[in-house]
Amino acid sequence: RERTSAPCTALSTSFELKKSTMAVSLKLQKRLASSVLKCGKRKIWLDPNEINEIALANSRRNIARLHRDGLIIKKPAVVHSRARVTLRNEAKRKGRHTGIGKRRGTANARLPFKVLWMRRTRVLRRLLKKMRDQGKIDKHIYHSLYMLAKGNQFKNKSVLLEKIHELKAINVKEKALAEQAEARKGRAKARLERRAAREAKKAADAEAAAQAS
């Protein structure tokens, strides 16, 4: 019985020692270290070989000293690489990964119709203003085309330019016709004046002949 009791006592003492070392709580030290190092408690590393010395530190000054000695360390930030995201975005810019199966929202949700309308309208109005300022169109053409653009008559800038050229051609034609009409009126007036002058001369000659006889 005496022989068997010795190993039992040795086991019990080793268990007690292990229990005493396991019972050391470092919650206070971890909290103080997170406050001193300005990070979360999950970022604090405590040296497992110096647990007893760390356990004695019960102030921020002691914690700072242990940090300088290297017993308490702030773990580095975990790297969250964006390399894969960058590669995928580059591919998306080329048109990959944007097929029917990758779309979750409606067409209006992905690119609102209002945004498209605003972009198109601003392009058309900018063109009209530029051409008016350069003197290529007058204020009347500008206003009529502005209202047509507001009424969704032009799909893009090229259609608007075609309409501008068409209106300018009509204006040129109308101006030429007006000039021709004015010239015709002038010629007719001159013809009437010459005829009136001839008739007046003829009447004067006849009167003079009558007086002479």
Side-chain angles (χ1 to χ4, degrees):
R1 288 179 183 175
E2 291 179 0
R3 288 177 186 173
T4 54
S5 62
C8 291
T9 52
L11 282 170
S12 62
T13 52
S14 65
F15 181 73
E16 288 295 329
L17 284 170
K18 194 173 184 182
K19 191 176 180 181
S20 66
T21 55
M22 285 173 63
V24 175
S25 176
L26 300 177
K27 286 178 72 176
L28 171 66
Q29 286 74 16
K30 191 163 275 196
R31 180 175 65 79
L32 292 176
S34 69
S35 174
V36 170
L37 301 179
K38 294 182 174 58
C39 64
K41 285 186 278 190
R42 61 191 289 272
K43 288 287 182 184
I44 298 299
W45 179 84
L46 306 175
D47 192 345
N49 298 322
E50 303 291 342
I51 287 177
N52 293 328
E53 187 176 350
I54 294 171
L56 297 174
N58 57 3
S59 68
R60 285 177 169 78
R61 181 177 293 177
N62 291 338
I63 292 293
R65 180 176 54 79
L66 291 175
H67 174 60
R68 284 194 300 273
D69 294 341
L71 302 184
I72 296 175
I73 296 174
K74 178 182 176 181
K75 292 179 187 176
V78 178
V79 175
H80 189 179
S81 174
R82 286 190 56 81
R84 290 183 297 278
V85 179
T86 305
L87 286 173
R88 191 171 182 85
N89 288 341
E90 286 178 3
K92 276 192 172 183
R93 276 194 287 275
K94 295 176 183 176
R96 279 64 158 158
H97 317 296
T98 53
I100 298 296
K102 292 291 182 182
R103 301 176 195 172
R104 299 298 295 272
T106 62
N108 190 32
R110 289 165 62 82
L111 184 58
F113 304 149
K114 185 175 181 179
V115 172
L116 292 173
W117 165 263
M118 283 162 47
R119 286 180 186 171
R120 181 156 54 101
T121 305
R122 285 172 182 171
V123 167
L124 298 176
R125 288 179 178 175
R126 203 180 300 126
L127 176 66
L128 286 174
K129 184 176 183 298
K130 179 182 174 184
M131 296 193 79
R132 183 191 62 183
D133 294 341
Q134 290 176 352
K136 294 182 178 178
I137 57 174
D138 59 8
K139 63 180 183 179
H140 305 292
I141 293 179
Y142 171 83
H143 183 68
S144 62
L145 291 177
Y146 189 99
M147 299 309 289
L148 287 174
K150 185 179 180 181
N152 198 23
Q153 289 292 307
F154 308 119
K155 188 168 70 171
N156 50 41
K157 198 159 70 170
S158 61
V159 177
L160 176 58
L161 284 170
E162 286 178 11
K163 185 68 174 178
I164 290 171
H165 295 321
E166 182 184 333
L167 288 178
K168 287 177 73 175
I170 291 172
N171 281 1
V172 168
K173 190 174 181 181
E174 287 178 353
K175 190 175 179 182
L177 289 172
E179 287 175 355
Q180 289 173 9
E182 191 67 30
R184 278 197 300 270
K185 283 181 184 178
R187 288 196 298 271
K189 188 176 181 182
R191 197 164 51 242
L192 288 172
E193 287 175 354
R194 287 196 303 272
R195 184 177 178 183
R198 281 198 308 270
E199 289 177 354
K201 186 180 179 184
K202 196 182 289 184
D205 292 343
E207 187 178 349
Q211 287 177 358
S213 64

